[in-house]
Amino acid sequence: MLRLTLTLLLTVLLSLVNSKALAEKPNIIVIMADDLGYGDVSCYGATALKTPHIDRLAAEGLRFTSGYCSASTCTPTRYSFLTGTYAFRGERTGIAPPNAPAIIKPGTETVGSILKRAGYTTTVIGKWHLGLGSEAGPDWNGQLKPGPLEIGFDTCFLLPTTNDRVPQVYVKDHRVLNLDPADPLWVGSKKPSPNHPTGLTHRETLKMDWSHGHNSTIHNGISRIGFYTGGHAARFRDEDLADKWVEKSVEFIEQNKDRPFFLFFASHDIHVPRMPHERFQGKTRLGFRGDSIVQLDWCVGELIKTLDRLKLAENTLVVFCSDNGPVLDDGYQDGAIEKIGSHRAAGPYTGGKYSVYEGGTRTPFITRWKGRIEPGVSDQMVCTIDLAASLAALTDQKLSQESCLDSFNILGALLGDVGSKGRPDLVQQNNGNNGTYALRVGKWKLQRYDKKIARNVVVEQQLENSSVPQFQLFNLDDDPAEKTDVAAEHPAVTTRLKHRLAEIIRQGQSRPELKSVDQ
């Protein structure tokens, strides 16, 4: 009888322990690099530089070989990551201009709002580039709302646009930081005065020359897209961005170490203008692009060190990803092309930023949760768009029928659970909703171009231009570089994927739990 009683007591205790473990909510950090290619870090094959801290995440976690973002430019990927909905379904989801209003409207379900509802303290620190303010555009001298705080974030510390676009100021919560009312900030699309210095009129003063498009207002010796005046006390140095993101992130983690937190660390590295801090300049033979990768790796290392110091590593899920694939010359003469050597930024894949070739959307993707995720390599297909539904499942939050329309719950795959599968198919897009798509299903990849365009991609470092048909089919198992169109050889596969892509677009959603609008 005593033995039975002890057995029952032990069973109850174990049940309570297991229930507590299941109820625990890990801290969550999503580190999103900017323009980082599949082949840009050493754990994915780079040999021209070393990324020891990113490599450590991979060694202690799960490195995905089929990890994706959903678009090959920044604004649509960030929109899809936060909302769990393909950006081509939204409005104004192409690359946002400097004065763009808030693209994600208040009340929209986001990763931030899901986790806030689950009891998390939430923040985004770094590049935003999803617009701020009302339909009239940002009120740079007043309250910048709506913004992140209206879609689920408790706090934010932002680069409001992207750093090749004006203005070069920080936004803390709803206001430009350190703005002097006596020196108001003006941002516009037209030259404010005939003598306003620009990259065209004062090119000889630049410390980094432009190659195309980035030749308007000059700040810190670099000309940008767009015009601005004033706000001088609020302006930052490009070289200090990474340090500021780390400083604010460490501060946030320390303040919230005793309760669940969500940190979206939105790095600006390695986006142009690539101007790493002086202590990283010259660290690689790849020029400022390579040096910026090393700086990004340092940022990752500082976050890992903070988790270790505060003994949070075993209670924190870290996701490392990129917003799109690589680009070499993206508007500035920074040596990226001249110094590339044998480095392959997209690894074995064709294309990069702006394209729907694999190099545009297949990126480094790593998950680490010490003690929970078994270290290894996974070939399951996962995407940043799936973090919304997957983190909702992790924190036991229900999603409405109107939210996260294309986000799949692939939590098991992200955590490396045996037998768990990633998503069965994925739509890729280039920018906004201009009719350029790709669909991957298993080994097959269909490209669709609704507008007549020219193929303009980097293949083994050579720019290749030729016209392309509306549809192309590739077998990624045999042809990962997408060099040979096999649509004619596999008409049934081509037809099936064409119909599936059209269906996903037409139905307005693809999350499995949702009912089709056709039903």
Side-chain angles (χ1 to χ4, degrees):
M1 184 67 181
L2 179 60
R3 180 178 296 177
L4 179 61
T5 302
L6 289 173
T7 301
L8 289 172
L9 181 60
L10 181 60
T11 301
V12 171
L13 288 173
L14 285 173
S15 176
L16 290 172
V17 169
N18 289 336
S19 297
K20 182 178 184 298
L22 289 172
E24 284 180 344
K25 297 171 181 174
N27 306 310
I28 299 167
I29 299 177
V30 174
I31 303 170
M32 183 173 282
D34 199 324
D35 294 357
L36 186 74
Y38 187 94
D40 272 332
V41 294
S42 42
C43 59
Y44 279 86
T47 57
L49 48 73
K50 296 296 182 186
T51 51
H53 303 296
I54 298 171
D55 295 355
R56 179 185 167 189
L57 280 183
E60 296 177 350
L62 203 55
R63 179 172 66 84
F64 289 88
T65 57
S66 287
Y68 289 85
C69 53
S70 61
S72 61
T73 54
C74 42
T75 297
T77 279
R78 291 159 198 275
Y79 174 92
S80 297
F81 153 60
L82 287 174
T83 66
T85 298
Y86 285 129
F88 60 76
R89 304 199 195 283
E91 298 179 356
R92 295 186 304 212
T93 57
I95 300 173
N99 269 330
I103 295 169
I104 303 175
K105 303 306 180 188
T108 304
E109 186 83 288
T110 67
V111 174
S113 65
I114 292 165
L115 294 177
K116 184 173 181 177
R117 192 167 71 243
Y120 282 68
T121 303
T122 58
T123 194
V124 52
I125 295 173
K127 171 178 168 175
W128 183 238
H129 208 192
L130 286 165
L132 292 167
S134 66
E135 291 300 309
D139 178 4
W140 296 106
N141 300 288
Q143 291 238 55
L144 290 165
K145 57 187 301 187
L149 273 60
E150 284 63 55
I151 55 171
F153 290 96
D154 292 304
T155 60
C156 65
F157 193 94
L158 309 175
L159 169 65
T161 58
T162 191
N163 204 27
D164 61 340
R165 287 161 172 75
V166 299
Q168 278 57 58
V169 297
Y170 296 120
V171 170
K172 185 179 186 301
D173 295 337
H174 285 136
R175 292 190 177 273
V176 173
L177 188 67
N178 298 326
L179 185 62
D180 181 358
D183 182 27
L185 182 62
W186 173 86
V187 179
S189 58
K190 294 183 179 180
K191 195 171 181 176
S193 65
N195 61 351
H196 182 78
T198 70
L200 288 170
T201 61
H202 291 67
R203 195 166 189 171
E204 73 283 355
T205 69
L206 300 177
K207 69 180 182 184
M208 177 180 284
D209 201 1
W210 54 274
S211 58
H212 56 86
H214 297 69
N215 50 29
S216 296
T217 290
I218 299 171
H219 169 72
N220 191 31
I222 304 169
S223 52
R224 325 277 170 153
I225 295 172
F227 300 93
Y228 76 121
T229 60
H232 289 86
R235 299 190 187 190
F236 57 69
R237 267 193 352 142
D238 304 71
E239 293 89 339
D240 298 328
L241 277 177
D243 283 358
K244 184 58 70 173
W245 306 147
V246 167
E247 172 196 330
K248 292 300 177 182
S249 296
V250 171
E251 181 181 285
F252 173 79
I253 294 170
E254 290 176 339
Q255 290 173 349
N256 294 281
K257 61 184 175 61
D258 297 322
R259 54 189 172 187
F261 65 78
F262 168 52
L263 164 62
F264 174 26
F265 183 91
S267 174
H268 191 265
D269 288 325
I270 55 174
H271 196 283
V272 297
R274 302 169 186 126
M275 187 54 65
H277 193 275
E278 287 85 351
R279 68 182 185 278
F280 295 107
Q281 294 179 16
K283 289 294 185 181
T284 73
R285 64 173 187 264
L286 300 179
F288 278 5
R289 185 176 187 277
D291 299 344
S292 295
I293 295 173
V294 172
Q295 178 172 265
L296 167 68
D297 185 67
W298 170 82
C299 293
V300 173
E302 291 303 296
L303 296 181
I304 295 173
K305 288 177 188 175
T306 302
L307 295 178
D308 289 343
R309 173 170 56 84
L310 298 175
K311 296 180 171 45
L312 295 174
E314 293 190 354
N315 191 38
T316 303
L317 169 62
V318 179
V319 179
F320 179 84
C321 56
S322 180
D323 67 346
N324 50 252
V327 60
L328 299 185
D329 181 352
D330 205 22
Y332 293 97
Q333 298 180 30
D334 60 5
I337 292 178
E338 296 82 355
K339 298 181 179 182
I340 191 68
S342 61
H343 181 68
R344 295 292 181 266
Y349 303 110
T350 293
K353 188 176 184 179
Y354 309 114
S355 85
V356 291
Y357 284 83
E358 286 294 282
T361 54
R362 195 187 297 216
T363 69
F365 199 115
I366 300 165
T367 57
R368 188 197 80 160
W369 181 356
K370 293 188 73 173
R372 174 62 178 85
I373 293 177
E374 189 73 24
V377 179
S378 173
D379 64 357
Q380 294 298 315
M381 184 158 60
V382 299
C383 180
T384 51
I385 200 172
D386 297 318
L387 290 173
S390 301
L391 295 178
L394 176 66
T395 56
D396 197 27
Q397 298 301 303
K398 304 251 183 238
L399 297 177
S400 72
Q401 290 284 310
E402 296 77 33
S403 63
C404 306
L405 301 179
D406 302 290
S407 188
F408 285 36
N409 174 12
I410 53 167
L411 180 62
L414 294 172
L415 299 181
D417 292 345
V418 176
S420 294
K421 300 291 185 182
R423 56 163 48 236
D425 55 37
L426 176 68
V427 178
Q428 300 150 269
Q429 65 173 100
N430 58 351
N431 185 42
N433 49 9
N434 61 9
T436 298
Y437 307 98
L439 175 69
R440 181 183 169 190
V441 182
K443 68 180 182 179
W444 299 109
K445 169 83 172 282
L446 181 79
Q447 295 182 7
R448 167 177 152 181
Y449 300 94
D450 290 354
K451 297 178 181 178
K452 190 173 182 179
I453 67 164
R455 185 176 189 261
N456 186 359
V457 298
V458 176
V459 181
E460 295 180 354
Q461 312 310 315
Q462 300 299 315
L463 192 63
E464 184 177 296
N465 291 276
S466 60
S467 61
V468 296
Q470 183 181 11
F471 293 98
Q472 295 185 106
L473 181 72
F474 301 96
N475 182 336
L476 296 179
D477 283 356
D478 299 335
D479 179 25
E482 296 165 275
K483 291 183 178 180
T484 305
D485 178 10
V486 295
E489 289 88 338
H490 299 278
V493 175
T494 303
T495 299
R496 175 166 57 87
L497 266 62
K498 286 168 63 175
H499 288 166
R500 176 58 181 154
L501 176 57
E503 177 185 51
I504 292 172
I505 295 170
R506 183 186 69 252
Q507 287 183 342
Q509 54 77 29
S510 62
R511 180 155 62 91
E513 306 94 290
L514 298 178
K515 292 183 179 179
S516 168
V517 294
D518 293 342
Q519 293 178 343

